[in-house]
Amino acid sequence: MSGIGHEAAAVQVLTRAVQLDNEKKFSEALACYEQGIRLLLQAAKEVQDESKRSHFRKKTEEYLSRAEAMKEAAAKQRTLARTHTQIQIDAGATGYSYKTIFEPLIDKTLSSATVEDAYIRSTHQIYNFLQFCELLVHKAECLKLIVLQTTRDPGDHRTQHSRLEEIQHSLKKHNVTLTIEYSDTIHDREIRAWLVWSARLLLPDSPTYPSQLG
């Protein structure tokens, strides 16, 4: 197979890898990334044009980085498929945080999360939501969207919305979009991230309340 042939084959295989990646079929995507990278390396050896060879090397590095993320995601997906963990937090219990509960479920492939909680209203509740957003931003490199579904504060909706907008503006600085949706039918709490894991969470109180990501 010539350099041109290897290049065409690499494009075809890597296009399929990206498609599988977007469909969250991480094990299949990893196999295609690895095959595509081998073809790309072979094509780079066979071309004479140095600029094209440099382009192949750059693309190879990008796909190698993505393949590493796929390895992690595929392993985590297999683990989640095999296990189910339930955490019961008793009233007054300490030692629990968003990091200890959710960090094991967050990886480089996480691109969006939905938080459904009827009670993101008062100052401390909004602050706790901010803390969760911080964890996502710091740990999920591909994060692009957070959706908050909550209810309006009947006592002071203006202040509630103003504080949530501050978080919204802060997230924009990190290239993350926060969509705020108000509903009158939410009665429970749930967090979803690309529909692979979900958890119910009782938000703790906190004594201080900044509204910008740290």
Side-chain angles (χ1 to χ4, degrees):
M1 187 182 291
S2 67
I4 294 176
H6 281 114
E7 179 184 358
V11 169
Q12 183 177 6
V13 174
L14 290 168
T15 298
R16 177 58 176 161
V18 172
Q19 179 184 350
L20 291 166
D21 189 342
N22 291 332
E23 293 173 358
K24 312 301 180 187
K25 298 177 180 177
F26 300 131
S27 294
E28 296 171 60
L30 175 59
C32 286
Y33 277 125
E34 290 175 339
Q35 182 185 359
I37 288 167
R38 288 194 294 270
L39 290 167
L40 207 53
L41 288 171
Q42 189 61 38
K45 290 179 182 178
E46 297 174 353
V47 296
Q48 302 300 317
D49 187 331
E50 182 56 36
S51 63
K52 195 164 191 177
R53 188 178 297 164
S54 176
H55 173 71
F56 283 159
R57 284 196 294 265
K58 180 180 178 182
K59 297 305 292 184
T60 298
E61 290 174 2
E62 292 176 6
Y63 286 120
L64 278 170
S65 176
R66 193 59 190 162
E68 285 300 314
M70 285 299 97
K71 286 182 183 178
E72 180 181 332
K76 186 159 291 185
Q77 197 173 60
R78 288 192 296 270
T79 299
L80 289 172
R82 291 194 305 265
T83 63
H84 172 76
T85 302
Q86 182 175 353
I87 301 174
Q88 182 173 333
I89 303 176
D90 297 325
T94 60
Y96 295 97
S97 68
Y98 296 119
K99 184 175 181 179
T100 58
I101 295 173
F102 293 109
E103 188 174 45
L105 302 172
I106 301 173
D107 60 29
K108 297 175 182 178
T109 66
L110 178 63
S111 59
S112 66
T114 298
V115 177
E116 183 178 308
D117 190 325
Y119 301 102
I120 307 295
R121 297 176 177 177
S122 64
T123 302
H124 77 272
Q125 291 166 338
I126 292 172
Y127 170 66
N128 285 318
F129 174 66
L130 170 65
Q131 286 186 308
F132 182 68
C133 290
E134 285 183 335
L135 176 64
L136 290 175
V137 168
H138 293 156
K139 296 297 180 179
E141 296 179 8
C142 294
L143 184 70
K144 296 298 180 185
L145 174 67
I146 298 173
V147 178
L148 171 63
Q149 299 174 345
T150 190
T151 58
R152 290 177 173 81
D153 184 348
D156 191 357
H157 175 61
R158 180 177 295 181
T159 299
Q160 174 196 24
H161 189 67
S162 175
R163 287 170 175 165
L164 290 174
E165 282 189 325
E166 288 184 51
I167 298 176
Q168 192 175 53
H169 295 321
S170 183
L171 284 166
K172 276 187 178 180
K173 297 176 184 178
H174 296 268
N175 299 314
V176 176
T177 298
L178 171 62
T179 299
I180 305 166
E181 300 175 356
Y182 295 104
S183 171
D184 297 325
T185 60
I186 300 174
H187 301 290
D188 209 340
R189 289 172 169 140
E190 184 173 337
I191 297 173
R192 300 187 300 276
W194 33 270
L195 301 180
V196 171
W197 55 267
S198 65
R200 304 195 181 277
L201 177 68
L202 180 63
L203 295 177
D205 289 347
S206 180
T208 56
Y209 319 113
S211 57
Q212 300 290 319
L213 270 71

